[in-house]
Amino acid sequence: MNDPLVSVVVPCFRQGQFLPEALQSVLDQTYHNWECIVVNDGSSDNTEQVAAAWIKKDKRFKYLYQDNSGVSSARNSGIAHSKGEYILPLDADDKIAPEYIEKAVEAFLISPDLTLVYCEAEKFDEESGKWNLAPFSLHTMSRKNVIFCSALYKKKDWERVCGYDINMSKGIEDWEFWIALLKHGGMVKQLNFTGFYYRIRNNSRTALVEKNGIIDMYEYMTVKHPDFFVGQYGSFIEMERNMLNYRKEVDLQLKSEKFVVDLFCKRFFGFTIFGRLDSIKNLQEKKRNVK
């Protein structure tokens, strides 16, 4: 009862070179009742050989293979095969501090009503230093993701929201999952210590996603959770302002502000309100021209 099993799920796609560091960080945990499931998401590198070597080191390591289906599918596969009461996702190129699982489990045991526990984080590799994440709130979460993928949560909550959405194929799947998990309520705790280390690489999955499709995923996410986003934005003006800020953050080369607004309005409000908004913009432009 006081030593619940924690399942660490490590999806890996062409990251075999980094996998030993991630698995070593799991092996170094001060908390001992864990299993670690490496999910080979159709890698053509040495992921299988690396995983096999770690299974020989410690029987708590396990291995799954699937044809390449994306990180959401890989996480879901690993969690579906897991036996733990708690789940900790860990990307194959990241690391966790030795005390992370122990401190996170302790937080759950002290406050059983918690839904999610995470910690402070640092970046490493091509960029280093503290990762300054904004404090969690649903309001902030509607504007940007403030919780990295490696947070501890209950397996039953993963089941409740039907897991990670495999349609989030171009990234930010963890952001969508946190929204699904927390939008109807739930307590979140951030531990006051650095327990997660996030690798920064110019050719990382996140960097490529930000250049090639994150707006599509953001649009899909807002359409999937209109109740959450409408409730948190409060008004179209706030929503529009956030869309512009988000565009700047990911540094996408979009043609105009109107392109971003169109994507959201067509989905949320339909063409009638969209037409009204377009008319308002035209009137504003005419007024500026008259002045």
Side-chain angles (χ1 to χ4, degrees):
M1 293 294 292
N2 294 322
D3 192 23
L5 179 64
V6 175
S7 297
V8 183
V9 176
V10 185
C12 190
F13 178 66
R14 296 178 182 173
Q15 294 177 317
Q17 62 179 317
F18 303 115
L19 186 56
E21 290 182 76
L23 300 187
Q24 184 65 55
S25 75
V26 177
L27 187 62
D28 290 341
Q29 291 301 298
T30 56
Y31 188 87
H32 299 295
N33 194 21
W34 54 261
E35 64 174 356
C36 181
I37 304 171
V38 178
V39 184
N40 184 344
D41 188 30
S43 293
S44 57
D45 62 5
N46 65 336
T47 294
E48 182 173 356
Q49 291 76 19
V50 172
W54 283 83
I55 290 171
K56 289 181 179 179
K57 288 184 181 182
D58 195 303
K59 64 181 181 180
R60 291 175 292 180
F61 289 105
K62 300 179 170 103
Y63 176 77
L64 291 175
Y65 176 87
Q66 67 174 30
D67 292 334
N68 181 243
S69 303
V71 66
S72 290
S73 175
R75 285 191 188 134
N76 287 339
S77 294
I79 296 170
H81 284 83
S82 70
K83 298 178 180 178
E85 180 180 348
Y86 296 98
I87 303 297
L88 179 66
L90 177 64
D91 282 355
D93 57 345
D94 296 330
K95 302 184 294 185
I96 51 176
E99 317 95 300
Y100 187 23
I101 295 179
E102 181 180 5
K103 289 179 179 293
V105 169
E106 181 182 10
F108 272 108
L109 295 178
I110 293 172
S111 303
D113 291 336
L114 283 172
T115 305
L116 195 69
V117 174
Y118 69 116
C119 60
E120 297 177 359
E122 286 187 5
K123 303 173 185 178
F124 73 105
D125 203 338
E126 293 183 9
E127 184 180 334
S128 61
K130 187 176 177 61
W131 188 3
N132 293 309
L133 295 166
F136 168 79
S137 71
L138 288 178
H139 182 77
T140 304
M141 185 64 82
S142 71
R143 280 134 177 89
K144 58 184 177 180
N145 191 10
V146 295
I147 303 176
F148 44 78
C149 68
S150 294
L152 199 76
Y153 56 87
K154 299 167 185 173
K155 183 176 180 179
K156 67 179 182 181
D157 283 331
W158 171 82
E159 294 169 341
R160 172 173 58 85
V161 301
C162 300
Y164 292 87
D165 190 338
I166 61 173
N167 292 309
M168 300 291 292
S169 58
K170 299 177 182 177
I172 65 173
E173 71 292 324
D174 50 334
W175 186 4
E176 190 279 326
F177 181 73
W178 302 144
I179 289 172
L181 205 64
L182 299 167
K183 69 177 184 178
H184 295 306
M187 295 174 59
V188 176
K189 181 178 181 64
Q190 183 181 30
L191 303 172
N192 187 27
F193 89 109
T194 300
F196 177 68
Y197 299 92
Y198 180 60
R199 189 185 300 272
I200 300 293
R201 294 179 292 126
N202 289 332
N203 63 342
S204 67
R205 182 174 69 89
T206 301
L208 292 174
V209 161
E210 289 181 348
K211 295 177 182 177
N212 294 305
I214 204 166
I215 286 295
D216 291 340
M217 293 294 93
Y218 188 69
E219 182 195 17
Y220 172 82
M221 183 171 65
T222 54
V223 172
K224 182 178 178 180
H225 302 287
D227 52 340
F228 172 72
F229 282 95
V230 170
Q232 294 301 320
Y233 281 120
S235 71
F236 172 76
I237 298 300
E238 283 297 315
M239 179 207 68
E240 181 182 25
R241 183 179 294 118
N242 183 72
M243 293 298 286
L244 292 174
N245 289 337
Y246 193 71
R247 179 185 60 139
K248 293 175 183 177
E249 287 177 8
V250 299
D251 196 28
L252 292 171
Q253 299 300 315
L254 298 176
K255 293 180 180 180
S256 67
E257 167 192 341
K258 187 172 181 293
F259 177 76
V260 182
V261 176
D262 287 357
L263 288 176
F264 201 92
C265 292
K266 286 178 183 178
R267 298 285 189 173
F268 260 98
F269 304 109
F271 287 98
T272 302
I273 295 179
F274 167 71
R276 289 178 60 192
L277 291 169
D278 193 51
S279 298
I280 292 171
K281 286 179 176 290
N282 289 335
L283 286 172
Q284 290 174 336
E285 290 176 1
K286 288 180 181 179
K287 286 181 180 180
R288 284 195 292 266
N289 291 334
V290 169
K291 292 180 180 179

